[in-house]
Amino acid sequence: MVDGPWPDELDIGRPNGARVYDYLLGGAHNFQVDRDHAQRLLAANPDQQVGARANRAYLRRVVDWCVGRGISQFLDLGSGVPTVGNVHEIAHAHDPAVRIAYVDQDPIAVAHSAAVIDGLDTVTVTRADLTRPAAVLGAPGVAGLLRFEEPVALLAVACLHFVVGDAERFMAIYRERLAPGSVLAISHGSDDVEDADHAARMRAVVDSFRDTASPVTLRSRAELRTLVGDFAVVEPGIVDITDWPRAGLAPRPAATWAAVAVKG
């Protein structure tokens, strides 16, 4: 099921964060403008491709962990362009009945996702702005699929750093809607890291995205903590994505914080 309109003519004149991410992961749903930007991005931060892959691996571990806790429904904000290892592929390897609602603002990401999920009655894709939770939560593809009186895993993986301004304002609304036992999982790029050179490279990433369709905002570890509100952060706490749920899962850090928290 697909929910939400998109224009007949899609704007591909500027690079888009979701498509650049797809290219860095080795995907095919991107355009030359995205590939050119990805090369500039890698020049600014050679670790960016490693970070993109580390983030995808983190997503897989989070979904596995949630399904292992008995969660059978996911709301994936900023789901992006479909590449290998989508949430529904990971979850359905455990249980084909798990329900997944994808949400993204980019019409190209939505169009590609629609093709990937065609024929699946447990998966929807909605074109909506994640910073407008009322519209997201009320969309037929979300409200008609997920039962919010039961636990939901809310995923905000590698998307909130593309949000400028006060992310806590709208994240609080999502948290309020979730039932006890729900999980909130976030990953977020940051220059609040011990390695000064890596911090500088992350700031270079911000500069490279400044004039694109997806400007980047880095947030500190403390700012990330505010985004989970009073949810209980699970062990090992707020750590680099390469250290969740245990340390040493990658050769080096990704300068991207991970927070997985449960509503009491």
Side-chain angles (χ1 to χ4, degrees), residues 139-161:
V142 176
L145 181 72
L146 305 181
R147 295 191 286 268
F148 283 94
E149 67 274 14
E150 300 174 4
V152 172
L154 176 64
L155 307 178
V157 175
C159 63
L160 295 180
H161 44 235

Side-chain angles (χ1 to χ4, degrees), residues 136-184:
V136 170
L137 295 168
V142 176
L145 181 72
L146 305 181
R147 295 191 286 268
F148 283 94
E149 67 274 14
E150 300 174 4
V152 172
L154 176 64
L155 307 178
V157 175
C159 63
L160 295 180
H161 44 235
F162 291 114
V163 173
V164 178
D166 182 12
E168 162 60 14
R169 172 186 53 80
F170 62 84
M171 289 302 295
I173 299 173
Y174 286 113
R175 294 195 310 266
E176 178 64 26
R177 183 67 182 275
L178 298 178
S182 293
V183 173
L184 170 58

Side-chain angles (χ1 to χ4, degrees), residues 188-194 218-227 236-240 257-259:
H188 200 299
S190 180
D191 60 352
D192 177 24
V193 295
E194 292 184 2
L218 301 178
R219 292 182 174 88
S220 68
R221 189 178 187 181
E223 288 176 302
L224 182 55
R225 181 65 184 83
T226 67
L227 297 181
I238 298 178
V239 295
D240 192 89
W257 292 119

Side-chain angles (χ1 to χ4, degrees), residues 202-221:
M202 292 300 287
R203 290 190 287 272
V205 169
V206 174
D207 290 339
S208 74
F209 273 98
R210 198 173 305 281
D211 295 324
T212 72
S214 309
V216 169
T217 297
L218 301 178
R219 292 182 174 88
S220 68
R221 189 178 187 181

Side-chain angles (χ1 to χ4, degrees), residues 37-187:
H37 181 77
Q39 293 305 316
R40 293 192 296 272
L41 181 62
L42 290 170
N45 181 16
D47 286 335
Q48 198 64 28
Q49 189 164 41
V50 173
R53 290 173 177 169
N55 197 78
R56 200 67 177 182
Y58 163 73
L59 174 66
R60 175 177 291 277
R61 295 192 298 270
V62 166
V63 174
D64 285 340
W65 184 85
C66 288
V67 176
R69 287 178 59 91
I71 291 180
S72 61
Q73 42 186 4
F74 291 79
L75 174 56
D76 187 2
L77 301 178
S79 51
V81 176
T83 55
V84 174
N86 289 307
V87 172
H88 73 275
E89 293 174 335
I90 303 166
H92 285 174
H94 296 277
D95 181 357
V98 173
R99 299 184 300 280
I100 300 96
Y102 291 119
V103 175
D104 203 281
Q105 189 173 18
D106 178 50
I108 296 174
V110 170
H112 284 311
S113 297
V116 169
I117 70 169
D118 185 43
L120 296 175
D121 59 6
T122 56
V123 189
T124 63
V125 57
T126 296
R127 187 182 179 212
D129 182 348
L130 67 85
T131 69
R132 299 181 177 179
V136 170
L137 295 168
V142 176
L145 181 72
L146 305 181
R147 295 191 286 268
F148 283 94
E149 67 274 14
E150 300 174 4
V152 172
L154 176 64
L155 307 178
V157 175
C159 63
L160 295 180
H161 44 235
F162 291 114
V163 173
V164 178
D166 182 12
E168 162 60 14
R169 172 186 53 80
F170 62 84
M171 289 302 295
I173 299 173
Y174 286 113
R175 294 195 310 266
E176 178 64 26
R177 183 67 182 275
L178 298 178
S182 293
V183 173
L184 170 58
I186 301 174
S187 68

